[in-house]
Amino acid sequence: MRIGEMFNIPIRVHWSWLIGFFIITWLVASGGLPFIRITLSTTQEWAVAVLVTVCLFLSVLLHELAHSLTAKRLGYKVHSITLMIFGGVSLISDNRMRSSHDFLIAAAGPAMSLLLGVVAAALYLIYRDPGASGMSAMLQGMLFYIGFQNIALAIFNMLPGLPLDGGRVLQAVIWGLTGNRNFAARFAGRAGQVLAVGMMLLAAYMVFFQQNLTSGLWLFLIASFILPASTVERQRASGVNRSERASALPVRSVMSPVPAALNADTPLDAAVRKVISFYPSADIPVIDGGRVAATVSMSDITSLGLNQNQGAELRVSDVARPVSTFSIEPDADLSHALALLTKQGVDLLLVFENGALIGTVSQTDLRTTRPPT
């Protein structure tokens, strides 16, 4: 879901962000807020926890903006920033020709987190008053926590393994030393896999031997995110020839044409007669609340076994399948489409030309593509 734009960069929020927001708020509140040296009511603890979580996600946004603005300054296109459960992702064109550029873009995020942490910690030390009470004590405690978390975020992100920023720094260094970017990506991807397994073992130790269930499970969840992501990064580097071949083709060469999007409130029988029946194999986008939130196809309808009278009583939204989407231009490279569908976990790409929806691209479209050899 797009929530705004900064420096001409679309800012999006993935649905998992809501889960992350709740979990972090709960962890902060349930921890008893030891960094605040006054007694708070339960309501006050939750209010402070929400404020701290908001500040932490704003810090993540600044972290991603540092990546993106550095990339823009070096001449690369930034497609979007997406906030998710474990942080954020900056979608930057992956056509870098210099290892130094990779290094600078990767290091910019942790550098921003470290700067935010140092500033917050410095403000805490400057205004620290052990005898403070009320709002003053709460603000001091929040500064301490925000400073600590940002410094911890910078350190954690610099661990040497993809998809962490430290893994990208490692990749840039190895690329610079060997001149082989694909080897560097495979090496950093393997390092990420080793790092994730090590974190899982540490999490198991914390749960079973230290009885630290909350921290252990949280560490295991993070490792569970890093392991498949590092595996994808490594596989992507191994299959670089496929991406290079795909970059020679535009998105329009594989997209499934669609006539237009359907409104979610459109009667199902009218949608079938006027649109769906003419495109029986297409996934037709469905607009709900001003955005494309689902798709519908003839197979979705026939699988329900509806008779004519039942169809007249239903709306398109009753049979549509929810999907996550991104928009893309018809002349964009297939390699970019592949990155969106795999790295971002998007279900469907909407192809727009001159402001009009002209087609869609899915994983099925890409699998049936035969790039030139």
Side-chain angles (χ1 to χ4, degrees):
M1 179 178 67
R2 178 167 173 164
I3 61 172
E5 184 177 290
M6 298 181 70
F7 303 100
N8 295 319
I9 303 171
I11 309 298
R12 305 177 188 274
V13 171
H14 191 264
W15 61 266
S16 64
W17 178 86
L18 293 174
I19 299 175
F21 188 92
F22 173 78
I23 292 176
I24 294 175
T25 301
W26 175 74
L27 288 173
V28 174
S30 63
L33 305 175
F35 49 88
I36 295 180
R37 299 179 181 179
I38 59 174
T39 302
L40 300 177
S41 66
T42 301
T43 301
Q44 289 173 324
E45 287 185 345
W46 277 96
V48 172
V50 168
L51 286 174
V52 168
T53 304
V54 168
C55 289
L56 290 179
F57 274 107
L58 287 176
S59 299
V60 170
L61 177 58
L62 291 174
H63 175 109
E64 295 303 324
L65 276 172
H67 286 307
S68 298
L69 294 179
T70 301
K72 290 188 71 172
R73 187 173 181 82
L74 292 171
Y76 301 103
K77 184 175 180 180
V78 179
H79 300 282
S80 65
I81 292 174
T82 302
L83 300 179
M84 300 184 295
I85 183 172
F86 291 121
V89 174
S90 297
L91 189 60
I92 301 169
S93 295
D94 194 25
N95 59 346
R96 290 182 279 285
M97 301 301 294
R98 297 182 182 178
S99 59
S100 59
H101 288 183
D102 247 5
F103 181 92
L104 291 172
I105 293 171
M112 174 59 77
S113 295
L114 183 61
L115 176 62
L116 292 172
V118 169
V119 169
L123 290 173
Y124 167 75
L125 292 175
I126 291 172
Y127 294 104
R128 184 186 179 198
D129 179 7
S133 61
M135 185 61 69
S136 177
M138 291 173 62
L139 289 175
Q140 287 182 49
M142 289 174 64
L143 282 172
F144 173 83
Y145 196 78
I146 293 167
F148 172 79
Q149 288 296 328
N150 271 285
I151 292 173
L153 177 64
I155 294 173
F156 175 77
N157 259 288
M158 284 304 294
L159 292 177
L162 290 174
L164 299 175
D165 293 330
R168 304 202 182 281
V169 169
L170 175 64
Q171 174 182 315
V173 171
I174 295 175
W175 178 15
L177 292 175
T178 64
N180 188 329
R181 186 183 183 189
N182 296 323
F183 169 76
R186 292 195 300 272
F187 185 95
R190 176 65 75 185
Q193 292 174 316
V194 173
L195 176 64
V197 171
M199 291 173 63
M200 288 179 174
L201 293 175
L202 178 59
Y205 175 80
M206 294 172 69
V207 170
F208 294 108
F209 294 96
Q210 295 186 334
Q211 306 301 313
N212 191 343
L213 182 62
T214 300
S215 297
L217 289 178
W218 187 245
L219 183 62
F220 183 83
L221 283 174
I222 296 175
S224 299
F225 164 77
I226 292 176
L227 183 58
S230 60
T231 301
V232 168
E233 293 275 5
R234 192 165 181 269
Q235 290 174 343
R236 183 179 174 218
S238 299
V240 68
N241 289 336
R242 176 189 170 193
S243 295
E244 289 175 348
R245 291 196 301 268
S247 66
L249 293 175
V251 165
R252 69 168 75 246
S253 66
V254 301
M255 72 180 186
S256 298
V258 295
L262 290 169
N263 193 291
D265 294 328
T266 301
L268 182 60
D269 58 342
V272 171
R273 287 197 315 271
K274 298 179 180 180
V275 179
I276 300 175
S277 60
F278 294 101
Y279 299 85
S281 61
D283 286 319
I284 300 176
V286 177
I287 297 178
D288 189 7
R291 66 184 183 88
V292 175
T295 62
V296 65
S297 66
M298 184 59 76
S299 61
D300 296 324
I301 298 168
T302 55
S303 64
L304 298 176
L306 301 174
N307 59 43
Q308 186 174 359
N309 292 332
Q310 288 175 310
E313 299 172 354
L314 297 176
R315 297 285 184 262
V316 169
S317 58
D318 295 324
V319 298
R321 290 174 286 113
V323 293
S324 59
T325 64
F326 265 63
S327 61
I328 194 169
E329 297 176 353
D331 294 321
D333 291 343
L334 281 189
S335 57
H336 176 40
L338 180 63
L340 284 170
L341 289 167
T342 55
K343 288 184 66 177
Q344 294 284 59
V346 178
D347 299 315
L348 193 71
L349 299 179
L350 307 174
V351 186
F352 284 90
E353 187 171 39
N354 298 325
L357 177 67
I358 63 171
T360 62
V361 177
S362 66
Q363 286 278 14
T364 301
D365 295 321
L366 294 183
R367 281 196 294 268
T368 57
T369 304
R370 295 179 179 272
T373 56

